[in-house]
Amino acid sequence: EPEVTQTPSHQVTQMGQEVILRCVPISNHLYFYWYRQILGQKVEFLVSFYNNEISEKSEIFDDQFSVERPDGSNFTLKIRSTKLEDSAMYFCASSEPNDNEQFFGPGTRLTVL
Amino acid sequence: AQSVSQHNHHVILSEAASLELGCNYSYGGTVNLFWYVQYPGQHLQLLLKYFSGDPLVKGIKGFEAEFIKSKFSFNLRKPSVQWSDTAEYFCAVNAVAYGQNFVFGPGTRLSVLP
């Protein structure tokens, strides 16, 4: 069964450093998403991406964040200058064009020191 | 802004007990509704979904949920839980008019005692 994959599973970085989190969505899906879950809190929507551009973003998704689909398979989330409060589990998801069911990846745990 | 609430933070049951997890949302328009489960150390997996039609939906592993539009609720049920159902359960709502994104509830941790 096809699934969403994410790398790395755990990323440790120093405050102020840039990080790139990678996701490979399911191959025939056209909508891509990033969510985050701070430890002990709920899953929060960050951004959705369709047709090579951002379709929606939350207020969390400020200028420090960017997303990109650099090739036909990867979908990346970049945080330019990480802050302590960026420490969280980041989930990628994807969905088909006419079906709102989102398939989630296993997540990347980001730890900012 | 839309919000999703889940009634219980942590539920503890014995095996074979019946389960009902509450979920309420605050949006009056058309919604798509989901329940996801997160087993320890694993990613979010879809249990069931409601888009339209019969408000009683059946999902995997014996779970079902009922959409009651007048109560803005989408409660998850299972008649007899197993130890393997121990996990975190998340209700998620997509307000169709606002696009594709999900608003998640805070989650309910279910512990099933053998």
Side-chain angles (χ1 to χ4, degrees):
Chain A
E1 186 176 334
E3 57 184 24
V4 177
T5 60
Q6 291 184 243
T7 55
S9 58
H10 191 189
Q11 173 89 47
V12 181
T13 189
Q14 295 287 330
M15 190 170 57
Q17 296 296 303
E18 174 183 287
V19 295
I20 297 176
L21 309 183
R22 290 182 167 79
C23 168
V24 178
I26 294 173
S27 61
N28 64 329
H29 288 184
L30 298 181
Y31 284 90
F32 314 117
Y33 313 83
W34 283 102
Y35 292 82
R36 79 172 184 191
Q37 185 180 27
I38 295 171
L39 186 63
Q41 299 185 26
K42 64 180 181 180
V43 178
E44 301 172 292
F45 169 74
L46 293 178
V47 65
S48 62
F49 191 86
Y50 172 70
N51 200 25
N52 284 318
E53 61 183 22
I54 291 173
S55 50
E56 303 162 65
K57 61 180 181 178
S58 70
E59 57 192 26
I60 302 169
F61 193 86
D62 61 22
D63 292 343
Q64 292 296 312
F65 292 90
S66 63
V67 289
E68 193 177 31
R69 187 153 164 82
D71 52 44
S73 59
N74 288 283
F75 178 52
T76 62
L77 174 70
K78 182 193 291 186
I79 309 174
R80 288 188 183 77
S81 178
T82 50
K83 303 188 282 283
L84 294 176
E85 54 264 37
D86 293 327
S87 294
M89 186 73 110
Y90 288 81
F91 293 103
C92 174
S94 68
S95 65
E96 293 182 38
N98 298 314
D99 185 343
N100 194 232
E101 177 182 342
Q102 295 181 20
F103 291 78
F104 285 80
T108 293
R109 181 171 299 282
L110 176 65
T111 302
V112 182
L113 303 176
Chain B
Q2 313 119 59
S3 66
V4 179
S5 61
Q6 292 183 233
H7 303 169
N8 309 97
H9 178 65
H10 189 189
V11 172
I12 303 173
L13 295 173
S14 298
E15 275 195 314
S18 64
L19 170 72
E20 180 159 0
L21 302 182
C23 171
N24 286 87
Y25 62 93
S26 64
Y27 177 67
T30 302
V31 291
N32 296 322
L33 302 162
F34 306 82
W35 275 97
Y36 282 86
V37 60
Q38 188 175 31
Y39 297 104
Q42 297 189 28
H43 61 281
L44 291 162
Q45 299 173 40
L46 182 71
L47 274 179
L48 46 79
K49 60 185 178 182
Y50 171 82
F51 285 179
S52 64
D54 188 344
L56 184 63
V57 293
K58 295 192 183 300
I60 61 171
K61 305 187 181 188
F63 286 92
E64 65 178 34
E66 185 175 12
F67 171 48
I68 303 179
K69 189 174 181 180
S70 61
K71 295 185 178 180
F72 300 92
S73 69
F74 190 56
N75 292 356
L76 180 71
R77 298 195 289 253
K78 185 171 183 178
S80 176
V81 295
Q82 301 170 305
W83 176 78
S84 58
D85 293 324
T86 295
E88 188 101 16
Y89 291 80
F90 295 93
C91 180
V93 176
N94 163 239
V96 174
Y98 284 82
Q100 298 279 104
N101 65 293
F102 285 7
V103 178
F104 278 85
T108 296
R109 185 154 58 101
L110 173 64
S111 298
V112 180
L113 307 177

